[in-house]
Amino acid sequence: MEGAGMKLGVITSGGDAPGMNPCLAQIIREGQKRGHEIIGFEGGFRGIAENRCRKLSPEEVTLWYQRGGTCIKTGRFPELEKESAQKKVAEQLRAHRIEGLMVLGGDGSFKGALAVHRMFPELNIIGIPCTIDNNVYGSDYTLGFDTALNTQTTYLDGLMDTGESLDGRVFFIETLGAYDGYLAQSTYLMGMAEFAVLDEMPMEEEEIIRKVLQAREEKRSGSIYVMFSESDGKHRCLRIADVIRDRYNINIKCSILGFSQRGNAPTARDRLMASGFADRAIRAMETGVKNQYIVYRKGEFQYMDISNASKKKVFDWHHI
Amino acid sequence: MEGAGMKLGVITSGGDAPGMNPCLAQIIREGQKRGHEIIGFEGGFRGIAENRCRKLSPEEVTLWYQRGGTCIKTGRFPELEKESAQKKVAEQLRAHRIEGLMVLGGDGSFKGALAVHRMFPELNIIGIPCTIDNNVYGSDYTLGFDTALNTQTTYLDGLMDTGESLDGRVFFIETLGAYDGYLAQSTYLMGMAEFAVLDEMPMEEEEIIRKVLQAREEKRSGSIYVMFSESDGKHRCLRIADVIRDRYNINIKCSILGFSQRGNAPTARDRLMASGFADRAIRAMETGVKNQYIVYRKGEFQYMDISNASKKKVFDWHHI
Amino acid sequence: MEGAGMKLGVITSGGDAPGMNPCLAQIIREGQKRGHEIIGFEGGFRGIAENRCRKLSPEEVTLWYQRGGTCIKTGRFPELEKESAQKKVAEQLRAHRIEGLMVLGGDGSFKGALAVHRMFPELNIIGIPCTIDNNVYGSDYTLGFDTALNTQTTYLDGLMDTGESLDGRVFFIETLGAYDGYLAQSTYLMGMAEFAVLDEMPMEEEEIIRKVLQAREEKRSGSIYVMFSESDGKHRCLRIADVIRDRYNINIKCSILGFSQRGNAPTARDRLMASGFADRAIRAMETGVKNQYIVYRKGEFQYMDISNASKKKVFDWHHI
Amino acid sequence: MEGAGMKLGVITSGGDAPGMNPCLAQIIREGQKRGHEIIGFEGGFRGIAENRCRKLSPEEVTLWYQRGGTCIKTGRFPELEKESAQKKVAEQLRAHRIEGLMVLGGDGSFKGALAVHRMFPELNIIGIPCTIDNNVYGSDYTLGFDTALNTQTTYLDGLMDTGESLDGRVFFIETLGAYDGYLAQSTYLMGMAEFAVLDEMPMEEEEIIRKVLQAREEKRSGSIYVMFSESDGKHRCLRIADVIRDRYNINIKCSILGFSQRGNAPTARDRLMASGFADRAIRAMETGVKNQYIVYRKGEFQYMDISNASKKKVFDWHHI
């Protein structure tokens, strides 16, 4: 087997996502089976720079399959934009004789990895798209999305118990997703939400208000649920609810789902996909595929050049 | 059996609470077994006034055990403060030859029931304390509290996946509970939250900020979780997070749990307790116990005069 | 719009599957929006024969998105193999002036639908693959699979809490799936199970025993989890556990997941897919696509001639 | 403070139970706050004998609140019946200068602790009742019961989705609980199960069959659910289902819940109770309460002499 017996590094970088842990577990188990040594650096690129690392063993990962977040910690490392930090990271990896680095994160993390690669060209980089936002270019799926979407769905289920015990209420729900609104939109696509407010399809405050009033008018019974994507962190839904209350004396209840949506036990789908991503990452290292990230497209895993990661992914916003 | 073969009415009133449905299911099943006819009025006292009612049958309630909210709808009926509405409700009940009315709700609903009783003195009233706030005087427990507390706990579990994947973060979590902070305080009593901000133990903004900074200082790793009770609906946690960000450049993530906390499938405890409450309500009707609500105290069900319901319940805030 | 304003029937047939309810909800909501009348028959083909039906309205389906099973009941109707029953069903549909029938079920149900079509050739049949077994030919996905797989995964998570609190234990877990083992195999593909026993890859009793003993030998800590696909309903895992206990004095705990795995609130994925299937079913009716079932292949919805439904689907058993 | 600055040992012993971990976490956190050193021995009494121990620190326990099982492992140690093993355990504890030992387990574990105490009379023993069976004499509650009951209830909820999508089916569900049937009985007390088969109220096979047939007769719609307590591990429900199928051609589906019921994230109640038990255990050590276990009776924590632990707890089987 080409490339057998390699020493491979792995980090989780940027925001955590459910699916990171099962993916790590499979990298470690499959890696060991195939004769590789897997070194985990703690807390992303910063952990490499600060040399916080250890050999990961299959014995310790049994419960990682069911845990959200990441057991080797994650974080951002803005210093990596500077050459000095890139060099530091490259030196540490070289000192450990790491032949390849697997980066579990989003496009920002892939970009950082590429910068490190430029300082250490023999180092192979393989990216695994992990983010609840499902916004990595070229991939239909990113690890964590399914869990985050289920968290949101379960949340709405609870809300509906109350909403349908009453009549004619309006609820605003803010989900995570930053400027990428696919999480919020999914609830609309399922048919559970009246509409979703997204950055990708900007909506004026007055239009939102008009749509809420119209939905109230049309609804004979039950309540109305409107999703808001997180956007700029200013909780726009609260402001609009205030306007509607002041102007029409309608009391709208707002929920801000917040960072609970980034955690929770990975769903079965995130575990299955994690296994698929881990498998392809190790094979890429073995077969000499270089500086790619793994994408899942039209039901198949493929490789994509890491330079594409910064492009904007576009969804079909109107249908699944 | 004294009182066998009665015609009994039942309503859910005020805010919905998980546990209402299994309690209704048991009232209907046990009621029928013991020879009573159970009439459900839809949407609380307003439903009585508007004569929206039907006979409830054991066949339809199988899935009610697992459903949050209330399958016979609930709501407030502020008009009940006026004598005219009280008379209207009393007349409807009299017209249906209802001998006793079971009211599932909180102290406000019990007070309303008493007002109706004054207009229709032959009508027996039995209250069953249902509210996630656990704030009914004289009872260690109110239906729905356990489910709401589990929802909150599960929420925090998800948040901690992220919080412990990072280091030194601060999270504010606003729970329901209005002016009654036992939900928020419970997370502190469990040991999961640093502290809880409650109306019952007022805390100045500066004190809260000081406690947050101190906790950050002391914590060697991991993150910090602070609970806020809902209070006046003004989302105080958001304001304080803004102050801390502006003053100390610390980015605090806020979650507002919102009305999802009122829903969700009743826990096992809420179903067991629902069964206990239902049983005592029917027995009270049969044995002629009059105008009481049922309390759970020191591990036993007891009756308490409905006039006590407006008193303020006091917790041991420091220990369970 | 071609075909606008149609009268369409819908049934759920065969075993229930989570995802049926959200799919019904979307058929009803989208159907009404597009001007169609949707008639639901209760309990599958038998319900058509016995004329148990009603018009379904968007108002009643809000909570169907979150409910497992099927709100219009399902069942088998073996009599449909006979011409007399086929005629009966066809006559009822004709009497109701149903122009198209949407059948939510597996390949057996599609076959039944085709038989009815032969008796009533103007009737258009569209199948939507619903079964937790994910075994419908030509489709990468069937509604319900994701929920059933999550139920199984959550179950195993609970088991692992105990398994990892002890050392060196062996657990056998029997999942649903009948003769189709993809549910059981998925846990192996995720990396959580040592191996899976499937009809598709027959394994002698002695081979199973040998693999268990070997896994125990190799494992330094933790416990061992083996999945068994349901197969012939004879609970093979119990028999093998008995042999191992008698022969080697090793106490193996068996769990039989059973029919709980068919229920539970549909996952987000099953709701999203339900919406996609519902959308294509209605469009098929409108555009005159005839006697097809909808498949999801390589990330896209397509139509497939209903005569293919009886073919055997083959998985990649070794990788996801 | 009397007894401040003690060196205290802690073990989890016997079967694991959800609630052990949060209880450990609180013992460690509260212990440290109050100046004590907490030493954890791994795997129960055997871990003491084999000297597998470490100092537990508050930093590592943040996620223990949400984890089922026990993070310091558990197990049985039958050798402890012999004096030689008792001496070995006592010597190790003495060598570590342990002043008090907290034992999280059931009555068997308490008995073992007492035996150790006889060999090392200065050692104080405090028991905390942890078992999903809720069968510890003198206590209304044991840690883990609520979680196990919720697991069972959630399981039944899933089953009912299927059961109510069909009509007239019969389901047998075997729960854990060994010879203590309160778990199985609770589902009957809630009103969800037709009846429960328990060791405490023995029922002949023919009587069970008769009750099943009668329930089928009476039920106009829906399905029938019968709980079986685990008992002798021989899966009696399977045998009876076979008899009914052979004799009456009724196909009964059986589920064997198994060891998944021992795991899962502790419920809010188990976390709150864990905190209460931990608090009393540490106070007992500080104030010199000797060789007691902590019970929860009529809504209050109390101490009970450890010699009572072997008595049989009796439930009110007919009411909650």
Side-chain angles (χ1 to χ4, degrees), chain C residues 14-41:
Chain C
D16 60 299
M20 281 179 160
N21 276 327
C23 190
L24 289 169
Q26 282 296 88
I27 285 171
I28 294 158
R29 288 210 168 154
E30 283 299 304
Q32 200 213 35
K33 264 193 211 160
R34 300 163 78 98
H36 310 301
E37 191 178 348
I38 310 291
I39 306 297
F41 293 88

PDB file of all heavy atoms in Angstrom, chain C residues 14-41:
ATOM      1  N   GLY C  14     -49.210  -0.605   3.981  1.00  0.00           N
ATOM      2  CA  GLY C  14     -48.153  -1.478   4.494  1.00  0.00           C
ATOM      3  C   GLY C  14     -47.710  -1.027   5.866  1.00  0.00           C
ATOM      4  O   GLY C  14     -48.509  -0.499   6.642  1.00  0.00           O
ATOM      5  N   GLY C  15     -46.467  -1.226   6.187  1.00  0.00           N
ATOM      6  CA  GLY C  15     -45.948  -0.787   7.478  1.00  0.00           C
ATOM      7  C   GLY C  15     -45.871   0.724   7.540  1.00  0.00           C
ATOM      8  O   GLY C  15     -45.603   1.377   6.540  1.00  0.00           O
ATOM      9  N   ASP C  16     -46.113   1.287   8.711  1.00  0.00           N
ATOM     10  CA  ASP C  16     -45.971   2.730   8.857  1.00  0.00           C
ATOM     11  C   ASP C  16     -44.490   3.092   8.871  1.00  0.00           C
ATOM     12  O   ASP C  16     -43.640   2.265   9.163  1.00  0.00           O
ATOM     13  CB  ASP C  16     -46.638   3.212  10.142  1.00  0.00           C
ATOM     14  CG  ASP C  16     -46.040   2.571  11.376  1.00  0.00           C
ATOM     15  OD1 ASP C  16     -46.106   1.327  11.481  1.00  0.00           O
ATOM     16  OD2 ASP C  16     -45.466   3.285  12.222  1.00  0.00           O
ATOM     17  N   ALA C  17     -44.212   4.343   8.555  1.00  0.00           N
ATOM     18  CA  ALA C  17     -42.839   4.835   8.589  1.00  0.00           C
ATOM     19  C   ALA C  17     -42.861   6.310   8.966  1.00  0.00           C
ATOM     20  O   ALA C  17     -43.737   7.048   8.506  1.00  0.00           O
ATOM     21  CB  ALA C  17     -42.177   4.657   7.227  1.00  0.00           C
ATOM     22  N   PRO C  18     -41.917   6.726   9.823  1.00  0.00           N
ATOM     23  CA  PRO C  18     -41.869   8.160  10.127  1.00  0.00           C
ATOM     24  C   PRO C  18     -41.521   8.906   8.848  1.00  0.00           C
ATOM     25  O   PRO C  18     -40.663   8.449   8.088  1.00  0.00           O
ATOM     26  CB  PRO C  18     -40.735   8.275  11.148  1.00  0.00           C
ATOM     27  CG  PRO C  18     -40.219   6.913  11.401  1.00  0.00           C
ATOM     28  CD  PRO C  18     -40.811   5.966  10.430  1.00  0.00           C
ATOM     29  N   GLY C  19     -42.177   9.979   8.610  1.00  0.00           N
ATOM     30  CA  GLY C  19     -42.033  10.704   7.353  1.00  0.00           C
ATOM     31  C   GLY C  19     -43.338  10.647   6.569  1.00  0.00           C
ATOM     32  O   GLY C  19     -43.641  11.525   5.765  1.00  0.00           O
ATOM     33  N   MET C  20     -44.149   9.622   6.844  1.00  0.00           N
ATOM     34  CA  MET C  20     -45.459   9.563   6.190  1.00  0.00           C
ATOM     35  C   MET C  20     -46.290  10.792   6.547  1.00  0.00           C
ATOM     36  O   MET C  20     -46.884  11.426   5.672  1.00  0.00           O
ATOM     37  CB  MET C  20     -46.215   8.304   6.620  1.00  0.00           C
ATOM     38  CG  MET C  20     -45.750   7.032   5.903  1.00  0.00           C
ATOM     39  SD  MET C  20     -46.677   5.583   6.477  1.00  0.00           S
ATOM     40  CE  MET C  20     -46.380   4.433   5.108  1.00  0.00           C
ATOM     41  N   ASN C  21     -46.320  11.142   7.826  1.00  0.00           N
ATOM     42  CA  ASN C  21     -47.149  12.268   8.254  1.00  0.00           C
ATOM     43  C   ASN C  21     -46.708  13.613   7.667  1.00  0.00           C
ATOM     44  O   ASN C  21     -47.541  14.344   7.128  1.00  0.00           O
ATOM     45  CB  ASN C  21     -47.211  12.341   9.779  1.00  0.00           C
ATOM     46  CG  ASN C  21     -48.267  11.418  10.343  1.00  0.00           C
ATOM     47  OD1 ASN C  21     -49.302  11.204   9.713  1.00  0.00           O
ATOM     48  ND2 ASN C  21     -48.009  10.861  11.517  1.00  0.00           N
ATOM     49  N   PRO C  22     -45.424  13.983   7.762  1.00  0.00           N
ATOM     50  CA  PRO C  22     -45.039  15.248   7.108  1.00  0.00           C
ATOM     51  C   PRO C  22     -45.276  15.214   5.597  1.00  0.00           C
ATOM     52  O   PRO C  22     -45.605  16.245   5.005  1.00  0.00           O
ATOM     53  CB  PRO C  22     -43.547  15.387   7.424  1.00  0.00           C
ATOM     54  CG  PRO C  22     -43.134  14.136   8.107  1.00  0.00           C
ATOM     55  CD  PRO C  22     -44.341  13.417   8.569  1.00  0.00           C
ATOM     56  N   CYS C  23     -45.142  14.048   4.992  1.00  0.00           N
ATOM     57  CA  CYS C  23     -45.381  13.959   3.551  1.00  0.00           C
ATOM     58  C   CYS C  23     -46.865  14.195   3.246  1.00  0.00           C
ATOM     59  O   CYS C  23     -47.207  14.943   2.328  1.00  0.00           O
ATOM     60  CB  CYS C  23     -44.907  12.601   3.036  1.00  0.00           C
ATOM     61  SG  CYS C  23     -44.879  12.473   1.237  1.00  0.00           S
ATOM     62  N   LEU C  24     -47.727  13.594   4.063  1.00  0.00           N
ATOM     63  CA  LEU C  24     -49.167  13.852   3.917  1.00  0.00           C
ATOM     64  C   LEU C  24     -49.453  15.337   4.108  1.00  0.00           C
ATOM     65  O   LEU C  24     -50.197  15.952   3.335  1.00  0.00           O
ATOM     66  CB  LEU C  24     -49.955  13.047   4.960  1.00  0.00           C
ATOM     67  CG  LEU C  24     -50.031  11.532   4.755  1.00  0.00           C
ATOM     68  CD1 LEU C  24     -50.613  10.860   5.991  1.00  0.00           C
ATOM     69  CD2 LEU C  24     -50.861  11.188   3.516  1.00  0.00           C
ATOM     70  N   ALA C  25     -48.857  15.913   5.149  1.00  0.00           N
ATOM     71  CA  ALA C  25     -49.108  17.329   5.451  1.00  0.00           C
ATOM     72  C   ALA C  25     -48.744  18.208   4.256  1.00  0.00           C
ATOM     73  O   ALA C  25     -49.496  19.125   3.889  1.00  0.00           O
ATOM     74  CB  ALA C  25     -48.317  17.751   6.687  1.00  0.00           C
ATOM     75  N   GLN C  26     -47.613  17.902   3.637  1.00  0.00           N
ATOM     76  CA  GLN C  26     -47.191  18.717   2.502  1.00  0.00           C
ATOM     77  C   GLN C  26     -48.053  18.458   1.271  1.00  0.00           C
ATOM     78  O   GLN C  26     -48.330  19.381   0.498  1.00  0.00           O
ATOM     79  CB  GLN C  26     -45.719  18.453   2.178  1.00  0.00           C
ATOM     80  CG  GLN C  26     -44.753  19.148   3.122  1.00  0.00           C
ATOM     81  CD  GLN C  26     -44.842  20.660   3.038  1.00  0.00           C
ATOM     82  OE1 GLN C  26     -45.650  21.269   3.751  1.00  0.00           O
ATOM     83  NE2 GLN C  26     -44.073  21.270   2.169  1.00  0.00           N
ATOM     84  N   ILE C  27     -48.471  17.225   1.073  1.00  0.00           N
ATOM     85  CA  ILE C  27     -49.379  16.934  -0.044  1.00  0.00           C
ATOM     86  C   ILE C  27     -50.665  17.746   0.111  1.00  0.00           C
ATOM     87  O   ILE C  27     -51.175  18.343  -0.838  1.00  0.00           O
ATOM     88  CB  ILE C  27     -49.684  15.416  -0.105  1.00  0.00           C
ATOM     89  CG1 ILE C  27     -48.471  14.660  -0.667  1.00  0.00           C
ATOM     90  CG2 ILE C  27     -50.935  15.128  -0.933  1.00  0.00           C
ATOM     91  CD1 ILE C  27     -48.581  13.132  -0.577  1.00  0.00           C
ATOM     92  N   ILE C  28     -51.152  17.806   1.327  1.00  0.00           N
ATOM     93  CA  ILE C  28     -52.404  18.517   1.598  1.00  0.00           C
ATOM     94  C   ILE C  28     -52.212  20.025   1.440  1.00  0.00           C
ATOM     95  O   ILE C  28     -53.004  20.704   0.786  1.00  0.00           O
ATOM     96  CB  ILE C  28     -52.910  18.147   3.008  1.00  0.00           C
ATOM     97  CG1 ILE C  28     -53.289  16.670   3.035  1.00  0.00           C
ATOM     98  CG2 ILE C  28     -54.076  19.032   3.418  1.00  0.00           C
ATOM     99  CD1 ILE C  28     -53.293  16.063   4.425  1.00  0.00           C
ATOM    100  N   ARG C  29     -51.134  20.556   2.012  1.00  0.00           N
ATOM    101  CA  ARG C  29     -50.908  22.007   1.956  1.00  0.00           C
ATOM    102  C   ARG C  29     -50.572  22.467   0.540  1.00  0.00           C
ATOM    103  O   ARG C  29     -51.133  23.439   0.042  1.00  0.00           O
ATOM    104  CB  ARG C  29     -49.770  22.384   2.901  1.00  0.00           C
ATOM    105  CG  ARG C  29     -50.185  22.294   4.345  1.00  0.00           C
ATOM    106  CD  ARG C  29     -49.420  23.298   5.178  1.00  0.00           C
ATOM    107  NE  ARG C  29     -50.051  23.380   6.495  1.00  0.00           N
ATOM    108  CZ  ARG C  29     -49.424  23.738   7.600  1.00  0.00           C
ATOM    109  NH1 ARG C  29     -48.133  24.064   7.560  1.00  0.00           N
ATOM    110  NH2 ARG C  29     -50.077  23.798   8.750  1.00  0.00           N
ATOM    111  N   GLU C  30     -49.610  21.761  -0.070  1.00  0.00           N
ATOM    112  CA  GLU C  30     -49.229  22.149  -1.428  1.00  0.00           C
ATOM    113  C   GLU C  30     -50.383  21.889  -2.389  1.00  0.00           C
ATOM    114  O   GLU C  30     -50.638  22.696  -3.276  1.00  0.00           O
ATOM    115  CB  GLU C  30     -47.982  21.371  -1.874  1.00  0.00           C
ATOM    116  CG  GLU C  30     -46.691  21.885  -1.293  1.00  0.00           C
ATOM    117  CD  GLU C  30     -46.421  23.322  -1.699  1.00  0.00           C
ATOM    118  OE1 GLU C  30     -46.384  23.641  -2.897  1.00  0.00           O
ATOM    119  OE2 GLU C  30     -46.273  24.153  -0.763  1.00  0.00           O
ATOM    120  N   GLY C  31     -51.034  20.764  -2.179  1.00  0.00           N
ATOM    121  CA  GLY C  31     -52.164  20.421  -3.035  1.00  0.00           C
ATOM    122  C   GLY C  31     -53.215  21.524  -3.012  1.00  0.00           C
ATOM    123  O   GLY C  31     -53.651  22.013  -4.060  1.00  0.00           O
ATOM    124  N   GLN C  32     -53.579  21.952  -1.825  1.00  0.00           N
ATOM    125  CA  GLN C  32     -54.609  22.979  -1.730  1.00  0.00           C
ATOM    126  C   GLN C  32     -54.158  24.301  -2.372  1.00  0.00           C
ATOM    127  O   GLN C  32     -54.911  24.932  -3.100  1.00  0.00           O
ATOM    128  CB  GLN C  32     -54.989  23.209  -0.265  1.00  0.00           C
ATOM    129  CG  GLN C  32     -56.349  23.874  -0.135  1.00  0.00           C
ATOM    130  CD  GLN C  32     -56.425  24.784   1.060  1.00  0.00           C
ATOM    131  OE1 GLN C  32     -55.437  25.431   1.422  1.00  0.00           O
ATOM    132  NE2 GLN C  32     -57.595  24.848   1.680  1.00  0.00           N
ATOM    133  N   LYS C  33     -52.914  24.685  -2.089  1.00  0.00           N
ATOM    134  CA  LYS C  33     -52.366  25.911  -2.687  1.00  0.00           C
ATOM    135  C   LYS C  33     -52.485  25.899  -4.205  1.00  0.00           C
ATOM    136  O   LYS C  33     -52.688  26.926  -4.833  1.00  0.00           O
ATOM    137  CB  LYS C  33     -50.872  26.029  -2.347  1.00  0.00           C
ATOM    138  CG  LYS C  33     -50.548  26.893  -1.153  1.00  0.00           C
ATOM    139  CD  LYS C  33     -49.056  27.195  -1.090  1.00  0.00           C
ATOM    140  CE  LYS C  33     -48.618  27.365   0.361  1.00  0.00           C
ATOM    141  NZ  LYS C  33     -47.172  27.194   0.527  1.00  0.00           N
ATOM    142  N   ARG C  34     -52.319  24.706  -4.771  1.00  0.00           N
ATOM    143  CA  ARG C  34     -52.315  24.593  -6.228  1.00  0.00           C
ATOM    144  C   ARG C  34     -53.692  24.228  -6.760  1.00  0.00           C
ATOM    145  O   ARG C  34     -53.831  23.878  -7.934  1.00  0.00           O
ATOM    146  CB  ARG C  34     -51.271  23.569  -6.658  1.00  0.00           C
ATOM    147  CG  ARG C  34     -49.868  23.961  -6.199  1.00  0.00           C
ATOM    148  CD  ARG C  34     -48.905  22.790  -6.259  1.00  0.00           C
ATOM    149  NE  ARG C  34     -48.456  22.536  -7.606  1.00  0.00           N
ATOM    150  CZ  ARG C  34     -47.305  22.962  -8.112  1.00  0.00           C
ATOM    151  NH1 ARG C  34     -46.487  23.670  -7.363  1.00  0.00           N
ATOM    152  NH2 ARG C  34     -46.974  22.685  -9.340  1.00  0.00           N
ATOM    153  N   GLY C  35     -54.691  24.289  -5.901  1.00  0.00           N
ATOM    154  CA  GLY C  35     -56.064  24.165  -6.379  1.00  0.00           C
ATOM    155  C   GLY C  35     -56.660  22.765  -6.384  1.00  0.00           C
ATOM    156  O   GLY C  35     -57.747  22.550  -6.911  1.00  0.00           O
ATOM    157  N   HIS C  36     -55.946  21.795  -5.790  1.00  0.00           N
ATOM    158  CA  HIS C  36     -56.480  20.433  -5.809  1.00  0.00           C
ATOM    159  C   HIS C  36     -57.263  20.110  -4.541  1.00  0.00           C
ATOM    160  O   HIS C  36     -57.096  20.735  -3.511  1.00  0.00           O
ATOM    161  CB  HIS C  36     -55.329  19.425  -5.949  1.00  0.00           C
ATOM    162  CG  HIS C  36     -54.399  19.756  -7.060  1.00  0.00           C
ATOM    163  ND1 HIS C  36     -54.817  19.858  -8.364  1.00  0.00           N
ATOM    164  CD2 HIS C  36     -53.062  20.040  -7.067  1.00  0.00           C
ATOM    165  CE1 HIS C  36     -53.789  20.179  -9.133  1.00  0.00           C
ATOM    166  NE2 HIS C  36     -52.713  20.302  -8.366  1.00  0.00           N
ATOM    167  N   GLU C  37     -58.081  19.085  -4.669  1.00  0.00           N
ATOM    168  CA  GLU C  37     -58.806  18.555  -3.515  1.00  0.00           C
ATOM    169  C   GLU C  37     -58.145  17.237  -3.139  1.00  0.00           C
ATOM    170  O   GLU C  37     -57.900  16.404  -4.013  1.00  0.00           O
ATOM    171  CB  GLU C  37     -60.267  18.334  -3.917  1.00  0.00           C
ATOM    172  CG  GLU C  37     -61.192  18.040  -2.757  1.00  0.00           C
ATOM    173  CD  GLU C  37     -62.648  17.872  -3.250  1.00  0.00           C
ATOM    174  OE1 GLU C  37     -62.920  18.209  -4.422  1.00  0.00           O
ATOM    175  OE2 GLU C  37     -63.469  17.376  -2.458  1.00  0.00           O
ATOM    176  N   ILE C  38     -57.819  17.093  -1.853  1.00  0.00           N
ATOM    177  CA  ILE C  38     -57.111  15.879  -1.432  1.00  0.00           C
ATOM    178  C   ILE C  38     -58.016  15.041  -0.536  1.00  0.00           C
ATOM    179  O   ILE C  38     -58.460  15.498   0.515  1.00  0.00           O
ATOM    180  CB  ILE C  38     -55.810  16.223  -0.665  1.00  0.00           C
ATOM    181  CG1 ILE C  38     -54.948  17.243  -1.420  1.00  0.00           C
ATOM    182  CG2 ILE C  38     -55.015  14.942  -0.343  1.00  0.00           C
ATOM    183  CD1 ILE C  38     -54.306  16.750  -2.686  1.00  0.00           C
ATOM    184  N   ILE C  39     -58.258  13.808  -0.976  1.00  0.00           N
ATOM    185  CA  ILE C  39     -59.103  12.892  -0.206  1.00  0.00           C
ATOM    186  C   ILE C  39     -58.219  11.815   0.423  1.00  0.00           C
ATOM    187  O   ILE C  39     -57.453  11.146  -0.281  1.00  0.00           O
ATOM    188  CB  ILE C  39     -60.141  12.200  -1.128  1.00  0.00           C
ATOM    189  CG1 ILE C  39     -60.948  13.235  -1.920  1.00  0.00           C
ATOM    190  CG2 ILE C  39     -61.066  11.279  -0.302  1.00  0.00           C
ATOM    191  CD1 ILE C  39     -61.781  14.167  -1.090  1.00  0.00           C
ATOM    192  N   GLY C  40     -58.310  11.665   1.724  1.00  0.00           N
ATOM    193  CA  GLY C  40     -57.543  10.618   2.392  1.00  0.00           C
ATOM    194  C   GLY C  40     -58.413   9.411   2.680  1.00  0.00           C
ATOM    195  O   GLY C  40     -59.523   9.558   3.205  1.00  0.00           O
ATOM    196  N   PHE C  41     -57.922   8.234   2.331  1.00  0.00           N
ATOM    197  CA  PHE C  41     -58.619   6.996   2.688  1.00  0.00           C
ATOM    198  C   PHE C  41     -57.911   6.381   3.879  1.00  0.00           C
ATOM    199  O   PHE C  41     -56.680   6.368   3.926  1.00  0.00           O
ATOM    200  CB  PHE C  41     -58.626   6.032   1.496  1.00  0.00           C
ATOM    201  CG  PHE C  41     -59.436   6.523   0.346  1.00  0.00           C
ATOM    202  CD1 PHE C  41     -58.849   7.340  -0.619  1.00  0.00           C
ATOM    203  CD2 PHE C  41     -60.783   6.218   0.243  1.00  0.00           C
ATOM    204  CE1 PHE C  41     -59.597   7.823  -1.688  1.00  0.00           C
ATOM    205  CE2 PHE C  41     -61.540   6.696  -0.822  1.00  0.00           C
ATOM    206  CZ  PHE C  41     -60.943   7.503  -1.788  1.00  0.00           C
TER     207      PHE C  41
END
